[in-house]
Amino acid sequence: MVAPEKATRRTVFVEAVVSTLAAWCRKQSGVRRNLDALDRCGEQEVAHMANDLQLLPAQLRGMARRGPEAADLLLVRMKALHLDAEKLAKGEPAVMHDLQRACSLCRTKRRCRRELARDPENPVWREHCLNEDTLLALLGEDPVRH
């Protein structure tokens, strides 16, 4: 017979795994819908949409593939830097859009996530962040000095 405490821990673990798997499936389903919608538009329309967003068609598809939360780490980084993302989005929407675009297309998300979890104040992010110059400018720092 399994001790009640072990059974409870096992149940919690199984529920966490199932919840994570369900969230992943929902995300993949949404990504598939995004890509299907782009495919239905045709190449010319995709090119026009990408151009409107100042992207290449491949970048637009890449952003659709990554899903709507692809720039979530930007919000965490901005909070760690004491920058108000909402205020920036309202006051300088083009700047916020550029930050989100770069974050969405970033290939070092795993590293960024680890660094934010370990020590959000550590300036090591500057070594790899595509948004370094813009974020430092928003902080009033000179990116050339860093």
Side-chain angles (χ1 to χ4, degrees), residues 61-118:
R61 288 186 190 289
M63 289 176 73
R65 203 173 289 110
R66 287 173 179 85
E69 65 282 337
D72 285 357
L73 288 174
L74 170 65
L75 301 178
V76 178
R77 174 66 63 208
M78 290 180 76
K79 186 175 181 179
L81 295 171
H82 309 289
L83 293 170
D84 188 334
E86 265 186 55
K87 186 176 177 182
L88 181 63
K90 288 177 184 168
E92 297 287 343
V95 173
M96 190 62 177
H97 169 76
D98 285 345
L99 288 167
Q100 290 170 322
R101 178 185 49 79
C103 187
S104 293
L105 298 171
C106 178
R107 296 182 184 269
T108 62
K109 287 189 184 304
R110 215 176 259 149
R111 178 178 178 186
C112 186
R113 191 175 292 110
R114 261 193 326 269
E115 291 168 1
L116 282 166
R118 201 173 291 141

Side-chain angles (χ1 to χ4, degrees), residues 77 106 108 124-133 135:
R77 174 66 63 208
C106 178
T108 62
V124 71
W125 64 272
R126 295 173 178 179
E127 295 173 6
H128 62 85
C129 182
L130 299 175
N131 283 319
E132 176 198 16
D133 290 346
L135 291 172

Side-chain angles (χ1 to χ4, degrees), residues 9-22:
R9 278 191 272 156
R10 186 178 301 146
T11 301
V12 169
F13 175 76
V14 169
E15 288 173 354
V17 169
V18 169
S19 176
T20 301
L21 183 58

